[in-house]
Amino acid sequence: MIANSIDDLNPQIAAHARDLLLDAGALDAFTQPVTMKQGRPGVLMTAICPLELTEQCEAILFAETTTLGIRRSQQQRSVLAREFVRVTTPYGAVSLKVARRQGRIVNVQPEFRDCVAIARQHDLPVREVWLAAQAAWASDRRSES
């Protein structure tokens, strides 16, 4: 993980730098508002990247932002096993991520991009499509029992 605090960064450039970090292979990149020395508002820009991409991600931050220094740290990550399944809703098919821990399902989430595309196609609130996908999953599970 790499991070830097910046008190003079244009927010549009911060968004661009974030996109470049993700395009370079960062697992995640984000900004958070922070209060810097002498009470100045600033932003903390963080990139979570595989060790082998640290240098490349640092190069992006040095080239694209006004930072003069970057902090590095290593973290461990726990990841749930996951699979994708498709369910049929009244509006169309939606992919869901099914996450398991020790073989037990602990989370099921509709793929948001699918929900947005279907919502636009049918001129519906995305929430309605998301709920329909959840209901289809629940219905499919009940019919399996």
Side-chain angles (χ1 to χ4, degrees):
M1 181 174 84
I2 59 175
N4 56 339
S5 301
I6 312 171
D7 63 1
D8 60 352
L9 183 61
N10 177 319
Q12 293 168 316
I13 292 174
H16 174 68
R18 179 191 166 277
D19 290 346
L20 292 175
L21 290 164
L22 293 171
D23 290 346
L27 301 173
D28 201 357
F30 52 90
T31 60
Q32 298 169 277
V34 295
T35 303
M36 310 251 323
K37 290 184 222 169
Q38 301 171 9
R40 293 188 307 263
V43 63
L44 174 65
M45 179 169 277
T46 304
I48 300 172
C49 52
L51 195 55
E52 65 272 11
L53 295 179
T54 302
E55 292 289 337
Q56 183 177 350
C57 289
E58 283 186 354
I60 291 168
L61 289 176
F62 281 127
E64 297 291 339
T65 73
T66 55
T67 194
L68 299 175
I70 297 170
R71 290 179 177 85
R72 290 184 182 189
S73 63
Q74 289 187 350
Q75 297 180 335
Q76 295 181 342
R77 181 178 184 214
S78 297
V79 180
L80 294 173
R82 62 192 94 170
E83 66 177 311
F84 287 90
V85 299
R86 288 186 71 75
V87 295
T88 302
T89 74
Y91 313 113
V94 175
S95 292
L96 295 116
K97 269 188 257 185
V98 179
R100 297 175 190 272
R101 184 164 193 262
Q102 299 173 344
R104 191 173 145 259
I105 294 173
V106 295
N107 196 354
V108 177
Q109 292 295 319
E111 201 48 41
F112 193 70
R113 288 184 191 140
D114 289 359
C115 295
V116 169
I118 291 170
R120 286 183 177 155
Q121 180 182 355
H122 293 281
D123 194 29
L124 295 167
V126 70
R127 177 184 70 254
E128 189 170 331
V129 178
W130 190 91
L131 289 170
Q134 287 280 23
W137 165 261
S139 176
D140 288 354
R141 296 282 291 168
R142 281 191 296 273
S143 66
E144 290 175 5
S145 301

